[in-house]
């Protein structure tokens, strides 16, 4: 025995047809909305946003910086293959906080990360050299009053990273890879590379030399596990050993990665 939809649900075929028509209209409107939100096609707009705005890597940030960085990342030929799907939902101006006072910036850093820094300690001295940070849990970018374009771009790129990269490879290498892509975008903009994270960046460059930029980018932005498997194979260790290396200290994994590179 067959039961027609109109019998089983108390709806006439005409009502079901109206529902289908409404759904098609909704889907079409939603597709058009997503199309409007999508980043512009590469090649449509000029690439060098920052240089045309008269900015350099060392220029201090201001109220227009977040919007400019959004344009920079939307137009980046280097990053577009990996961040295109995130550009609709991730907006740099949202939760982009340029603090007016150093003390407020430093208080926010220690409070959000739930850390204690003793007065007069080496950690307190190192704190003065931190110009920005991205807090993943609140999806906020925080920048010191004197932060520049290079600092801000570095933190903006953090916002597009897969959480898995930090979890697997640790903070040291995470910062190095973030800065590696920051420098690529700065050069793409016709600007000088940023002077920061020298040791971390050296490790990231070695990682790229060993495994290739594509592999590193897929792991960093898209959460691919292929890079981790490459490292495990190259170092002849297990995934558990990789995790232990991260726990031993931020530079422990990099020490082993750097040994792979021939002199």
């Amino acid at each position: 025995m067959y039961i027609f939809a109109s019998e089983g649900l108390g709806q006439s075929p005409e009502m079901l047809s109206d529902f289908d028509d409404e759904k098609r209209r909704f889907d079409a409107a939603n597709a058009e909305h997503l199309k409007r939100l999508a980043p512009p096609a590469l090649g449509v707009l000029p690439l060098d946003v920052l240089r045309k705005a008269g900015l350099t890597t060392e220029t201090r940030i201001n109220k227009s910086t977040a919007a400019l960085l959004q344009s920079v990342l939307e137009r980046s030929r280097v990053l577009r293959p990996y961040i295109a799907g995130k550009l609709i939902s991730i907006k740099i101006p949202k939760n982009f906080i340029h603090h007016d006072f150093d003390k407020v910036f430093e208080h926010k850093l220690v409070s959000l990360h739930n850390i204690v820094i003793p007065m007069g300690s080496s950690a307190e001295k190192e704190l003065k050299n931190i110009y920005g940070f991205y807090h993943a849990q609140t999806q906020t970018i925080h920048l010191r009053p004197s932060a520049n374009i290079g600092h801000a771009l570095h933190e903006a790129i953090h916002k597009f990273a897969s959480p898995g990269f930090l979890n697997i490879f640790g903070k040291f290498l995470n910062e190095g890879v973030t800065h590696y892509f920051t420098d690529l975008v700065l050069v793409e903009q016709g600007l000088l590379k940023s002077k920061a994270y020298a040791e971390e960046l050296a490790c990231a460059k070695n990682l790229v030399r060993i495994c290739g930029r594509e592999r590193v980018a897929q792991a960093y932005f898209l959460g691919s596990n292929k890079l981790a498997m490459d490292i495990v194979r190259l170092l002849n260790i297990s995934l558990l050993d990789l995790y232990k290396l991260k726990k031993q200290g931020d530079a422990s994994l990099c020490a082993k990665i750097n040994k792979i590179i021939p002199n």
Side-chain angles (χ1 to χ4, degrees), residues 50-51 54-61 146-154 179 182-183 185-187 189-196:
L50 298 177
R51 189 174 61 175
L55 306 179
T56 71
T57 304
E58 302 294 329
T59 301
R60 286 198 179 188
I61 64 174
S146 56
N148 61 36
I149 293 293
H151 301 134
L153 178 60
H154 176 101
H179 211 70
T182 299
D183 279 347
V185 175
L186 287 171
V187 171
Q189 286 291 311
L191 304 185
L192 297 176
K193 296 179 180 180
S194 180
K195 300 174 183 178

Side-chain angles (χ1 to χ4, degrees), residues 126-177:
E126 292 172 4
L127 180 62
K128 304 300 181 184
N129 294 322
I130 298 175
Y131 287 86
F133 68 93
Y134 171 63
H135 188 249
Q137 288 74 14
T138 56
Q139 299 182 2
T140 53
I141 291 173
H142 296 265
L143 292 152
R144 193 181 281 279
S146 56
N148 61 36
I149 293 293
H151 301 134
L153 178 60
H154 176 101
E155 303 310 330
I157 289 177
H158 266 306
K159 203 167 186 178
F160 288 88
S162 167
F165 192 89
L166 174 61
N167 293 336
I168 294 172
F169 296 103
K171 186 174 183 291
F172 190 90
L173 188 52
N174 183 61
E175 292 295 347
V177 170

Side-chain angles (χ1 to χ4, degrees), residues 228-229 231-233 235-245:
M229 300 309 297
I231 295 300
V232 163
R233 177 177 54 81
L235 296 181
N236 194 27
I237 59 176
S238 67
L239 284 172
L240 179 59
D241 293 331
L242 181 61
Y243 175 76
K244 288 179 178 178
L245 277 173

